[in-house]
Amino acid sequence: MSSILSFFTSYLVNLVWEVAVIGGAGWLVSRLLKKVGPRMEHRVWVFTLMLAVVAPALPVFRWLLKFLSIPNATSAHSSITLVAAQSNSPNSGGVYVLPAVLAMSLLSLYFVSLIYFAVRFACSLRCTTVLLRRSRSLSLTSEQEEIWCRCKRSFSLCRIRILSSSLISGPVTVGLRKPVLLVPDGFAESCTSQDFMAALAHECAHVSRHDFQKNLFYEVVSLIIAFHPVTWMLKSQIAQTREMVCDGMATGGLIDSRSYVNSLLRLATRIAMASRVYPSHAIGIFDANILEKRIMMMNLKKKHFSPVLKYGLAIPSTLFLILVAVGGAAMAVVIEPQTASQAAVQTQPYGQVYRIGKDVSAPTLLYSKEPEFPKSERGKKDKFVGTCLVGFVVDSSGAVHDVHIKRSFRPDFDASAVKAVQQYRFKPATRNGEPVSVALNVEVNFQRF
């Protein structure tokens, strides 16, 4: 398996547990900040989702930094260092070997799920486009026009339009650069002024917050972890807290809380009786399906917290989430495929290959040879440092077999490292006083400084 596929396998294995750990940390922080208000809780869930996406990939950033590092010297140097002694199932330094068939099966399932969620997302976007294309102009009464203008002024919205559609059951907002508020056909005619105000105020709050654009961003970013159940929970919490934030904005000056709650109940009954449901990414007034929770939140007496207290809670909570993500990345494992040489080790004539430790002693190096720089690199003056990991087996006579690259640097340097290791000679390892075959790893370092 190439290094790219190895990275994807490692990312997949790590995100399975890291996303769960980060999601749990986000839940703890959200409980801590719950009394501060839904706005702060919403930010916590968004930040948790971003960390869940990025944290499993942090090990590759460390690899890039190592790859791009520049030494301070100017001469060439190479060396070979014994870094591990293990059997044909190495697990040293957080490096795990999976059978190639299993690794490819995991990757295949992952990419199938990725394609599924990507296609579903694309279809939803297409449905949103169709929804906009089939919308029609809406005629408002003078009273409704006044309510509409009042909502736009309250949220400082100038470019927003209001249209009607036969494909929706309740008010929704769509649009990237030019936001559109869509209402069902007949909604304006059959809706009371209070309910009309509540619906428009809530949707204008969504537009003011750019929730449609943000939701698209969250969907795109989370595609790579879309199969994980914790991802579904994170996006659900983002949607729930987003609705509660918009409720607070709607009742901030346009309509009182009691009237707003009564309007929500009537609107929810109206939408539940409607049969028009069209799949899209439009942001609606009842997307999160938490009406009871929203009503309870609005009936609670609002507490005002000082900025010092808010930031005093938010900053340590943010640092805690970051530490959890970084700690998870530090414990990330590296998954490497089982090579053909490793798979065939037990079928070789030198018999069973042991792991060094317990009753198996390490072999003693009798002869070694420094690896040479490839001819194509001789005479060059550019500075660099590179390392490749070579695996091999020392048989019961001390001879070296099955020399292979386990972590590649560059093909020409890899060949030089393999050539050097093939000339090694050892005093064999012993088990209960009898010579046995053991597997070893050596790290070959190339430097020009």
Side-chain angles (χ1 to χ4, degrees):
M1 183 184 296
S2 67
S3 58
I4 294 178
L5 291 180
S6 180
F7 162 70
F8 276 114
T9 307
S10 301
Y11 180 81
L12 174 60
V13 172
N14 287 320
L15 75 82
V16 169
W17 65 270
E18 284 191 59
V19 170
V21 171
I22 294 172
W27 182 85
L28 289 175
V29 172
S30 69
R31 299 284 78 80
L32 175 65
L33 299 178
K34 192 175 185 65
K35 293 185 178 180
V36 179
R39 190 180 298 271
M40 187 69 71
E41 195 176 356
H42 178 75
R43 292 171 180 170
V44 167
W45 287 117
V46 171
F47 188 60
T48 302
L49 178 64
M50 297 300 105
L51 286 178
V53 173
V54 173
L58 287 180
V60 78
F61 298 137
R62 297 201 306 267
W63 176 82
L64 286 175
L65 289 175
K66 181 179 179 180
F67 179 77
L68 296 174
S69 62
I70 300 176
N72 297 321
T74 56
S75 63
H77 176 71
S78 61
S79 64
I80 187 164
T81 307
L82 182 68
V83 295
Q86 53 197 17
S87 69
N88 59 321
S89 300
N91 177 9
S92 178
V95 179
Y96 293 80
V97 174
L98 285 181
V101 174
L102 177 58
M104 290 302 298
S105 299
L106 290 175
L107 283 178
S108 298
L109 289 174
Y110 172 67
F111 283 114
V112 166
S113 69
L114 185 63
I115 292 172
Y116 166 75
F117 286 106
V119 169
R120 193 177 72 167
F121 176 69
C123 291
S124 184
L125 283 181
R126 182 179 178 276
C127 291
T128 305
T129 304
V130 172
L131 183 63
L132 267 177
R133 190 185 308 126
R134 296 184 181 179
S135 60
R136 298 180 295 273
S137 59
L138 178 66
S139 297
L140 301 176
T141 65
S142 57
E143 183 181 11
Q144 290 171 341
E145 187 67 37
E146 174 60 29
I147 292 174
W148 176 231
C149 292
R150 184 181 171 189
C151 289
K152 290 194 292 184
R153 286 195 303 269
S154 179
F155 292 99
S156 302
L157 302 176
C158 301
R159 304 176 64 186
I160 188 173
R161 296 178 297 159
I162 184 169
L163 303 173
S164 66
S165 173
S166 60
L167 301 175
I168 56 176
S169 57
V172 297
T173 57
V174 294
L176 291 173
R177 292 181 298 176
K178 296 180 180 180
V180 177
L181 195 160
L182 295 176
V183 296
D185 287 347
F187 180 82
E189 291 81 4
S190 61
C191 197
T192 65
S193 299
Q194 179 179 307
D195 295 350
F196 191 73
M197 168 72 81
L200 265 58
H202 185 91
E203 294 305 315
C204 284
H206 279 306
V207 175
S208 177
R209 284 174 34 84
H210 306 287
D211 281 333
F212 180 80
Q213 294 89 329
K214 291 178 181 178
N215 190 53
L216 285 182
F217 174 75
Y218 302 151
E219 290 291 335
V220 172
V221 169
S222 63
L223 272 178
I224 56 178
I225 60 171
F227 74 93
H228 204 297
V230 174
T231 305
W232 311 339
M233 182 271 291
L234 294 177
K235 291 196 291 187
S236 173
Q237 292 297 326
I238 289 174
Q240 292 181 25
T241 51
R242 178 180 64 210
E243 294 304 311
M244 289 187 283
V245 170
C246 290
D247 288 339
M249 295 173 66
T251 57
L254 283 172
I255 185 172
D256 65 274
S257 298
R258 185 179 296 275
S259 299
Y260 184 76
V261 168
N262 292 332
S263 294
L264 284 183
L265 292 173
R266 288 191 292 269
L267 290 170
T269 302
R270 177 192 178 99
I271 293 174
M273 295 176 61
S275 60
R276 297 185 299 272
V277 178
Y278 195 70
S280 69
H281 274 286
I283 304 296
I285 191 171
F286 296 113
D287 283 349
N289 296 321
I290 52 164
L291 180 59
E292 182 179 356
K293 187 175 180 180
R294 290 165 63 184
I295 291 175
M296 292 176 60
M297 178 65 65
M298 284 182 287
N299 287 334
L300 292 176
K301 185 178 180 180
K302 294 183 179 180
K303 298 180 181 180
H304 297 282
F305 296 89
S306 65
V308 175
L309 180 59
K310 287 184 178 180
Y311 285 107
L313 291 173
I315 293 176
S317 300
T318 303
L319 291 177
F320 171 72
L321 285 175
I322 294 175
L323 287 175
V324 170
V326 173
M331 293 186 291
V333 298
V334 177
I335 305 298
E336 292 186 352
Q338 187 179 39
T339 63
S341 298
Q342 292 170 335
V345 157
Q346 292 186 340
T347 66
Q348 298 298 328
Y350 40 75
Q352 182 177 358
V353 179
Y354 290 89
R355 181 198 303 261
I356 294 175
K358 295 183 179 179
D359 57 344
V360 179
S361 65
T364 303
L365 183 62
L366 301 177
Y367 172 79
S368 64
K369 182 177 177 59
E370 288 290 319
E372 298 179 353
F373 264 60
K375 293 181 179 180
S376 59
E377 293 292 327
R378 296 172 188 174
K380 294 184 179 181
K381 296 183 179 180
D382 56 308
K383 306 173 184 178
F384 79 94
V385 58
T387 302
C388 62
L389 189 66
V390 181
F392 59 97
V393 173
V394 179
D395 68 11
S396 57
S397 67
V400 172
H401 299 273
D402 294 330
V403 183
H404 58 278
I405 295 296
K406 300 188 66 176
R407 187 176 65 241
S408 176
F409 172 45
R410 276 174 35 187
D412 49 354
F413 285 90
D414 295 345
S416 177
V418 169
K419 183 178 180 181
V421 174
Q422 286 174 338
Q423 301 179 57
Y424 269 42
R425 291 297 179 268
F426 291 84
K427 180 180 178 181
T430 59
R431 180 174 182 266
N432 298 326
E434 295 294 328
V436 293
S437 301
V438 293
L440 295 179
N441 287 343
V442 294
E443 193 174 72
V444 182
N445 307 296
F446 295 93
Q447 295 182 2
R448 184 182 288 122
F449 51 89

